[in-house]
């Protein structure tokens, strides 16, 4: 846990020091997007390579599908409402 907090604190310090350099900040935003894509891909590889999970997919059933779809739809709706309330200036 101390490693995670230290890495985060180091990133915050670096971000504070370079915040005036817009080119670096915008490049960092692109890197974050690609890092998230890579993380999602690696999670897919991990799930796909886990034999126990892959064998259980057929037994998870319709309830698991409904719960996961509900979570996705709820997240999208909540994000939409938060964006409309707090970030849209129209």
């Amino acid at each position: 846990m101390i490693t995670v907090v230290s890495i985060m604190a180091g990133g915050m310090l670096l971000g504070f020091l370079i915040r005036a350099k817009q080119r670096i900040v915008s490049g960092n935003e692109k890197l974050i997007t690609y890092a998230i894509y890579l993380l999602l891909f690696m999670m897919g590889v991990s799930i796909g390579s886990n034999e126990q999970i892959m064998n259980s997919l057929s037994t998870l059933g319709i309830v698991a599908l409904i719960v996961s779809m509900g979570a996705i739809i709820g997240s999208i709706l909540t994000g939409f409402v938060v964006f409309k309330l707090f970030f849209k200036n129209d």
Side-chain angles (χ1 to χ4, degrees):
M1 185 67 174
I2 191 74
T3 303
V4 173
V5 173
S6 297
I7 291 172
M8 183 80 167
M12 289 172 63
L13 178 63
L14 181 62
F16 180 77
L17 293 174
I18 65 168
R19 68 176 185 246
K21 300 179 183 195
Q22 194 61 35
R23 185 173 174 199
I24 295 174
V25 171
S26 67
N28 185 42
E29 291 173 359
K30 290 179 183 175
L31 283 175
I32 289 171
T33 300
Y34 292 125
I36 291 172
Y37 291 156
L38 180 63
L39 178 64
L40 291 171
F41 178 76
M42 296 307 292
M43 287 176 60
V45 169
S46 178
I47 290 171
S49 65
N50 188 322
E51 195 169 315
Q52 184 178 6
I53 292 174
M54 295 308 291
N55 289 337
S56 300
L57 283 179
S58 63
T59 60
L60 291 175
I62 192 72
V63 175
L65 179 64
I66 291 171
V67 169
S68 60
M69 292 304 292
I72 292 170
I73 292 170
S75 297
I76 291 171
L77 291 175
T78 303
F80 180 76
V81 169
V82 167
F83 178 76
K84 285 288 189 185
L85 288 176
F86 298 110
F87 296 107
K88 189 145 184 152
N89 293 330
D90 295 338

